[in-house]
């Protein structure tokens, strides 16, 4: 659905996007994650044909965005960070205006309007002026106009920014429903947003792609955690002697004695640890694979990229 190759864009001396490449398959829900100023909005504007890149190629649904932006825009539903709404219009009047601007034939408009209104949960607000709606419902109006023409690709730029917790949950549920019919690219700097709605994440920092993987792949590690109900003499030495084990650390916890066992080169050491524990008849309380949070992955990448000062990371860890 999306193919980006060696994309770059500068504003004067500032390079907002640097040699970015990635692809998105039809039906995927992708989180474009990055701190403020990472280049997310610039990338979104290029994908929608609003900006032209300095270098590189961008294809949407097999169409060159630079060569034929109108054809691409007809296939895209776009909700910018600040939705372009007309506060004096009612919800119904605004959506009809958007249907006309989209050049949707008059005979098709009633069915498409009804479908978008129901999907966004706006059926009880059609006669209300947009200016009188809460921010959450204004976001719903923005989403309704974005899905009105049943786009193949839905691009959402910070869709829950400024919403209260209840509104955030409502918009997330709506996004998950929309994912059944469209490919979705969601830009955000909120980590929980990606974890709640996306299957895969592209992390952008300083205009460059620092990670591109499914959430499970990013979270996976080669570290196992073994918890014994009580201390066992020689357990640390025995664990260090297992093949494929790089290091072992011991921690005393309220649940018992915890060992963090790191494998070499992505080796899953749990089977070997399990066999050892069974042979030695250790009082095993728990054996699991250590999983990193998206926040931990993001902080590691941000620190290495210089987006977060090392001192700030030390303060957060303390």
């Amino acid at each position: 659905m999306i193919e980006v190759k060696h994309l770059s864009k500068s504003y004067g001396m500032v390079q907002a996007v640097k040699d970015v490449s990635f692809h998105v398959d039809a039906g995927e829900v992708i989180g474009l994650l990055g701190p403020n100023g990472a280049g997310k909005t610039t990338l979104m504007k290029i994908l929608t044909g609003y900006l032209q890149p300095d270098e590189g190629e961008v294809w949407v649904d097999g169409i060159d965005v630079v060569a034929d932006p109108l054809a691409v825009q007809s296939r895209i539903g776009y909700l910018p960070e600040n939705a372009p709404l007309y506060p004096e219009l009612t919800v119904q009047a605004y959506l009809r205006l958007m249907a006309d601007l989209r050049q949707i034939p008059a005979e098709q408009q009633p069915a498409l309007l009804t479908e978008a209104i129901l999907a966004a949960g706006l059926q009880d607000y059609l006669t209300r002026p947009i200016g009188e709606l809460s921010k959450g419902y204004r976001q719903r109006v923005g989403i309704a106009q974005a899905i009105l023409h049943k786009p193949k690709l839905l691009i959402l730029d910070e869709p829950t920014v400024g919403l209260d917790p209840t509104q955030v949950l409502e918009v997330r549920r709506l996004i998950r429903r929309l994912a059944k019919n469209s490919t979705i690219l969601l830009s955000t700097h909120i980590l929980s947003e990606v974890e709640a709605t996306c299957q895969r994440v592209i992390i952008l920092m300083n205009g460059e792609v620092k990670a591109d993987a499914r959430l499970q792949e990013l979270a996976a590690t080669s570290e196992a955690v073994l918890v014994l109900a009580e201390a066992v003499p020689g357990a640390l030495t025995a664990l260090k002697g297992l093949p494929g084990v790089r290091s072992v650390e011991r921690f005393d916890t309220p649940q018992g004695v915890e060992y963090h066992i790191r494998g070499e080169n992505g080796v899953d050491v749990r089977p070997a640890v399990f066999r050892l524990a069974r042979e030695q008849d250790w009082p095993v309380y728990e054996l699991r694979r250590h999983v990193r949070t998206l926040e931990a992955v993001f902080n590691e990448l941000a620190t290495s990229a210089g987006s977060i000062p090392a001192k700030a990371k030390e303060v957060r860890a303390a």
Side-chain angles (χ1 to χ4, degrees), residues 219-228 236 239 242-251 257-264 266-274 286-292:
T221 70
S222 59
E223 182 176 331
V225 177
L226 172 68
V227 183
L228 301 182
L236 184 64
L239 289 168
L242 288 173
V245 170
R246 187 178 64 192
S247 65
V248 182
E249 290 182 278
R250 170 181 164 164
F251 303 91
V257 183
E258 192 170 293
Y259 296 90
H260 288 214
I261 309 145
R262 294 180 180 84
E264 295 178 346
V267 173
D268 186 355
V269 296
R270 287 176 300 170
V273 172
F274 174 77
E286 183 180 7
L287 174 62
R288 68 179 187 274
R289 189 169 194 169
H290 175 65
V291 177
R292 295 182 299 176

Side-chain angles (χ1 to χ4, degrees), residues 106-215:
E107 64 274 12
Q108 296 179 19
Q109 287 192 19
L112 291 176
L113 284 165
T114 299
E115 192 170 340
I117 289 165
L118 291 175
L122 292 168
Q123 56 270 28
D124 296 328
Y125 298 87
L126 296 180
T127 59
R128 293 271 296 275
I130 292 173
E132 295 180 5
L133 299 178
S134 68
K135 182 160 186 178
Y137 273 93
R138 290 200 298 273
Q139 285 292 83
R140 287 172 179 259
V141 175
I143 291 174
Q145 65 81 23
I147 64 174
L148 187 58
H149 55 300
K150 288 192 171 182
K152 291 186 175 182
L153 174 63
L154 187 58
I155 296 179
L156 307 174
D157 192 359
E158 305 284 1
T160 62
V161 67
L163 304 184
D164 65 39
T166 300
Q167 294 168 338
V168 168
L169 291 176
E170 290 173 350
V171 172
R172 286 178 182 173
R173 283 194 290 266
L174 175 56
I175 290 171
R176 285 194 289 268
R177 291 200 301 271
L178 296 175
K180 297 177 182 178
N181 301 308
S182 298
T183 303
I184 296 180
L185 182 64
L186 184 151
S187 168
T188 184
H189 63 275
I190 303 172
L191 302 178
S192 58
E193 192 87 355
V194 174
E195 292 177 319
T197 57
C198 300
Q199 305 158 341
R200 178 176 141 218
V201 61
I202 298 172
I203 298 179
L204 199 67
M205 292 184 178
N206 298 326
E208 300 177 293
V209 173
K210 295 298 182 182
D212 180 358
R214 300 186 74 82
L215 289 175

